[in-house]
Amino acid sequence: MLTRDDCRRLDREDPLATLRGEFELPDGILYLDGNSLGPLPRAARARALQVLEREWAQGLIRSWNEAGWFALPARLGDRLAPLLGANPGEVVVTDSTSVNLFKVLAAALRLRGDRKAIVSERDGFPTDLYITQGLAGFLGQGHELRLVDDADELPQALGEDAAVLLLNHVHYRTGAMHDMAAMTARAHACGALMVWDLAHSVGAVPVDLNGARADFAVGSTYKYLNAGPGAPAFLLVSARHQAAAVQPLSGWWGHAAPFAMRSGFQPAPGIARFLCGTQPILSLVLVECGLEVFERTDMAAVRAKSLALSDLFIQLVEARCAGRGLELVTPRAHARRGSQVSLRHEHGYPIMQALIARGVIGDYREPHILRFGFAPLYVRYVDVWDAVEQLRDILDSDAWRAPAFQARRAVT
Ligand SMILES: *Cc1c(COP(=O)(O)O)cnc(C)c1O
């Protein structure tokens, strides 16, 4: 079994170790929740001030052109594309993941005409299911959300009436990962289009959308990409669909000539047709600061460290917290694991509150799940060791039973 000193040695030998310095992390905090909200890149502070003081205060309206504000969604999309296995011109950064899903799902349903089934997983991320239900109801054309309880049921669910298969690549609660190429092929085999939600994959695991021949994708930037709370999300439309795909939020930023100010809508020729209206520039610019850190490494190195961290966490929990009611939820097989580890415990909520009170920040998801994210750009091996030690102590001492840890807050 590894000791704390062994973990310190692993940190000294870690090729990604210097990247931790690119982030502002509070003293005394072990941050294992980058899967929910990434930390502040140091460069973002200066960049935000530059936008406020120079581009906005001094540049004013001129900055739409001179500071590149107008071109930002596409420029950021091009910069993000390598992390998705996409080409320039296939990705934009805009709107929220929920809104982007609405747009791509609507476009996909139109491309599949008479097919009425949208196949997805019952325990998928709720916003995905809510958006799908809302869109299907709104269209009023008899679309059906067909939910499976297990991926094994997909072959039956994907019949000749399936328009779309919508899946979370890495599951937000369990950390389980789908085989992107295999699932996409399965959707295509029945004539359906594949829509991936990459909220828990981008920046966490290597993604190859074009290698898998995926049709559409959406995902968040404020998680592993460290773009800031509520930062605009991304969407991908494969180049082979762009000419035919139309989305319903036909705002002026998606027009072929927005400043021609014509009365009729004509979609922009490329990915820009998936934009809607004026973007929140202050948060959009900061997406770039998160991406810049990824450009100093590669996803193979990120993945190698991610698996080493989550392996270490599982090993230490099983060795040091055995017999204390914790159950591993996340798959052990590397090919099936994202970059988080989820543990089930009957008293998961107060245990997580007790951890947070000691500066070990993970989060809690219903039902009974303690969730720990391992973002390789800044999490150290010694953090894993120390987090497990706190968890062991909290369980041994019953510290989680304190009344202060029982009350549920709005965000868990
Ligand atoms: C975080 C997350 C979202 C977030 O959607 P928003 O519109 O940004 O609130 C969507 N899907 C999945 C799978 C997520 O994990």
Side-chain angles (χ1 to χ4, degrees):
M1 182 49 51
L2 289 182
T3 64
R4 191 170 191 278
D5 280 342
D6 292 328
C7 292
R8 294 179 67 93
R9 177 180 47 78
L10 288 172
D11 285 323
R12 283 194 299 273
E13 295 166 359
D14 172 15
L16 301 185
T18 54
L19 296 181
R20 180 177 162 89
E22 300 295 322
F23 297 95
E24 275 193 40
L25 292 156
D27 289 337
I29 294 290
L30 303 185
Y31 196 59
L32 303 180
D33 212 1
N35 50 302
S36 187
L37 175 64
L40 175 72
R42 283 191 194 282
R45 186 182 292 279
R47 182 75 181 104
L49 279 176
Q50 179 190 34
V51 176
L52 287 174
E53 294 172 354
R54 185 147 14 116
E55 297 180 11
W56 181 13
Q58 301 303 317
L60 291 164
I61 184 79
R62 295 169 288 186
S63 288
W64 286 107
N65 291 312
E66 285 163 21
W69 288 353
F70 188 67
L72 209 46
R75 190 160 62 79
L76 291 174
D78 287 351
R79 214 154 168 185
L80 173 58
L83 293 185
L84 301 176
N87 292 320
E90 290 186 306
V91 183
V92 276
V93 178
T94 185
D95 298 335
S96 66
T97 302
S98 302
V99 170
N100 287 338
L101 182 62
F102 182 86
K103 293 184 290 188
V104 304
L105 205 51
L109 291 180
R110 250 186 87 140
L111 287 173
R112 279 300 171 265
D114 291 342
R115 292 172 169 243
K116 298 298 182 202
I118 303 147
V119 179
S120 197
E121 291 178 298
R122 192 177 313 282
D123 72 344
F125 194 80
T127 205
D128 294 22
L129 303 179
Y130 302 159
I131 288 285
T132 307
Q133 288 162 17
L135 175 63
F138 185 79
L139 289 173
Q141 295 168 3
H143 285 101
E144 169 208 354
L145 176 56
R146 183 176 298 158
L147 299 175
V148 299
D149 291 304
D150 192 295
D152 295 344
E153 300 166 25
L154 285 173
Q156 297 97 288
L158 286 168
E160 287 192 342
D161 60 346
V164 167
L165 174 59
L166 164 64
L167 292 175
N168 294 182
H169 183 216
V170 174
H171 195 273
Y172 75 99
R173 179 157 28 77
T174 65
M177 181 165 69
H178 280 303
D179 180 334
M180 179 173 278
M183 288 295 164
T184 306
R186 196 171 272 188
H188 289 170
C190 85
L193 293 169
M194 184 72 226
V195 179
W196 285 106
D197 185 332
L198 304 176
H200 286 275
S201 336
V202 64
V205 299
V207 172
D208 189 4
L209 287 166
N210 280 343
R213 289 189 64 74
D215 302 289
F216 298 91
V218 297
S220 315
T221 63
Y222 53 78
K223 295 173 179 170
Y224 289 100
L225 295 182
N226 311 309
F234 64 87
L235 68 84
L236 165 132
V237 179
S238 161
R240 65 183 182 278
H241 293 307
Q242 285 182 12
V246 289
Q247 57 100 356
L249 301 182
S250 45
W252 70 314
W253 276 47
H255 196 282
F259 285 89
M261 300 291 180
R262 294 194 201 105
S263 56
F265 184 77
Q266 189 195 344
I271 188 74
R273 64 175 53 190
F274 276 77
L275 300 175
C276 180
T278 306
Q279 295 301 299
I281 297 300
L282 288 179
S283 50
L284 194 56
V285 291
L286 302 188
V287 174
E288 198 148 39
C289 302
L291 292 179
E292 278 162 4
V293 184
F294 281 93
E295 287 168 2
R296 298 183 46 190
T297 177
D298 61 76
M299 285 310 296
V302 169
R303 178 62 169 164
K305 184 177 173 190
S306 159
L307 287 171
L309 290 169
S310 56
D311 275 344
L312 174 66
F313 183 78
I314 292 170
Q315 222 179 68
L316 289 173
V317 165
E318 291 185 336
R320 302 178 64 85
C321 305
R324 291 168 178 86
L326 291 169
E327 182 197 339
L328 178 68
V329 174
T330 303
R332 283 175 202 277
H334 285 178
R336 293 270 293 125
R337 192 194 306 161
S339 197
Q340 73 184 60
V341 176
S342 300
L343 302 172
R344 187 180 291 115
H345 190 287
E346 194 190 343
H347 303 291
Y349 186 80
I351 291 169
M352 182 52 74
Q353 296 311 303
L355 277 167
I356 292 171
R358 293 179 178 203
V360 180
I361 301 185
D363 62 20
Y364 172 81
R365 286 294 177 265
E366 294 291 352
H368 309 306
I369 303 284
L370 295 136
R371 198 168 66 150
F372 300 90
F374 299 97
L377 298 186
Y378 52 86
V379 173
R380 298 169 298 197
Y381 293 92
V382 74
D383 297 341
V384 174
W385 206 95
D386 290 344
V388 174
E389 183 55 18
Q390 290 294 340
L391 179 59
R392 186 197 60 73
D393 188 68
I394 285 166
L395 291 169
D396 278 357
S397 65
D398 278 348
W400 58 269
R401 291 190 191 272
F405 300 141
Q406 314 304 314
R408 295 289 168 111
R409 313 186 64 181
V411 176
T412 62

